[in-house]
Amino acid sequence: IGEDRLRSDIDKVLSQSMGRAFDNAEKRDQDWLHARLSDWAEELFCDLFAIRLVGPAFSFASVELFHLLALLEMPEPLHFSMSHPAVACRFAEHLRILRSDGWWVGIKPLGAEPAATIETLAGIPRTAYRFILDDGSALDNGPVRAFMTLLPKIRSLVRRTAPRNAAAVRDFLRYRGRIADSLAHAVVPSTLADGRSIVRPTPLAVVNSSFCFYLSSLRRLLRMTAEYTPSRIWSISHRSRLAGRLEMWTLKALEDQRLLKGQLEVR
């Protein structure tokens, strides 16, 4: 992320937050503290950069991954490690950028569980965060307080590095429902009818709309299948198979859009 851009800011916030404990520390200890904030900043920058590139699908995939890794069981989400900021802190920043970029207004009404998890973790007070070393012992919270002060600098760096994708957000809000209707009827959402016109939503709008459909409306697709029975709504194998189909249709839509774009450019 260009550590030089944050180096002076990191030393400044460490001095402000820890005072003499940092200013009078030996050089190797100062370097160690600087490395912790640098690592945390890099991880958070990568998160926010990915959201700017991919959209909320990145956040939802992160929730699923952290669930699998058992990182969402309290008090684990509150712990800063040697190399990573606390999961709760990361999702608080996820939510902030998703709201400011305009994605969240289309996600909130869905009531999807990952979205609720993000909001819950983001709502935890910062004072609950703790710095836990690899051996399980707790360290003074000065570095964590310093990192909280550094957050605006990280956000600013993300905004300068990866501009907001206004077209993707616009198409997501405008066409998410129509993309969901297509998927619910096993139709690849390469193109959509918009009045008398045919439109092609941006690839990011398709990807994020499909992910939202998977999280909140997969039951609609289950009901459309010939082998549907109420008990199969809870069948893991059946849901997994349909989720695979959903992914296939989404990838097909992206491939169709690439081909259509190529044809138009040739003409």
Side-chain angles (χ1 to χ4, degrees):
I1 65 176
E3 184 181 351
D4 289 342
R5 300 187 189 182
L6 291 176
R7 176 175 293 278
S8 61
D9 293 313
I10 290 175
D11 288 337
K12 182 178 180 180
V13 297
L14 281 168
S15 179
Q16 289 176 341
S17 298
M18 300 185 66
R20 293 180 180 178
F22 177 77
D23 295 335
N24 297 336
E26 294 185 10
K27 181 65 165 56
R28 65 177 183 180
D29 293 330
Q30 290 182 339
D31 289 344
W32 185 87
L33 289 167
H34 182 101
R36 301 289 68 74
L37 264 69
S38 180
D39 287 347
W40 297 344
E42 182 174 2
E43 289 296 330
L44 184 58
F45 175 89
C46 290
D47 276 11
L48 303 184
F49 183 82
I51 291 174
R52 274 280 167 99
L53 291 183
V54 180
F58 175 82
S59 294
F60 296 148
S62 297
V63 171
E64 291 194 338
L65 176 62
F66 292 153
H67 265 305
L68 291 174
L69 296 176
L71 295 179
L72 298 185
E73 299 296 326
M74 288 297 180
E76 188 68 32
L78 308 179
H79 293 169
F80 279 68
S81 71
M82 290 279 287
S83 57
H84 289 73
V87 170
C89 176
R90 293 170 71 171
F91 280 129
E93 294 302 308
H94 285 210
L95 182 59
R96 176 185 290 269
I97 196 170
L98 289 171
R99 281 175 170 165
S100 65
D101 281 1
W103 292 101
W104 201 254
V105 69
I107 295 169
K108 176 69 173 177
L110 299 178
E113 183 177 348
T117 298
I118 291 172
E119 282 195 314
T120 298
L121 292 173
I124 296 174
R126 294 176 174 183
T127 52
Y129 301 158
R130 294 291 180 268
F131 185 9
I132 305 298
L133 299 179
D134 292 341
D135 62 4
S137 60
L139 198 67
D140 178 81
N141 246 26
V144 174
R145 292 192 297 271
F147 186 68
M148 295 299 102
T149 307
L150 186 66
L151 290 178
K153 298 290 185 180
I154 300 172
R155 297 171 196 144
S156 177
L157 183 57
V158 171
R159 287 194 296 270
R160 296 197 305 270
T161 307
R164 173 179 178 268
N165 193 329
V169 176
R170 178 202 64 212
D171 283 5
F172 172 76
L173 298 177
R174 182 179 298 176
Y175 301 122
R176 181 186 57 77
R178 298 183 197 182
I179 293 172
D181 289 340
S182 295
L183 295 172
H185 292 83
V187 175
V188 174
S190 308
T191 58
L192 302 171
D194 188 9
R196 296 183 178 180
S197 304
I198 299 297
V199 297
R200 293 189 301 276
T202 65
L204 278 186
V206 173
V207 169
N208 285 283
S209 296
S210 297
F211 211 131
C212 286
F213 179 84
Y214 163 71
L215 294 173
S216 62
S217 303
L218 190 60
R219 191 173 294 190
R220 289 178 62 190
L221 182 58
L222 288 167
R223 291 196 179 101
M224 295 295 293
T225 59
E227 66 269 29
Y228 166 76
T229 61
S231 62
R232 286 203 171 184
I233 286 181
W234 308 110
S235 169
I236 294 177
S237 61
H238 194 53
R239 294 175 70 90
S240 178
R241 186 166 68 255
L242 286 179
R245 294 283 183 87
L246 181 63
E247 181 179 352
M248 180 180 66
W249 298 332
T250 302
L251 291 174
K252 182 64 169 61
L254 300 183
E255 178 65 14
D256 287 350
Q257 287 196 355
R258 188 182 70 83
L259 293 173
L260 288 169
K261 181 180 179 182
Q263 290 175 358
L264 292 174
E265 289 176 349
V266 169
R267 292 175 186 175

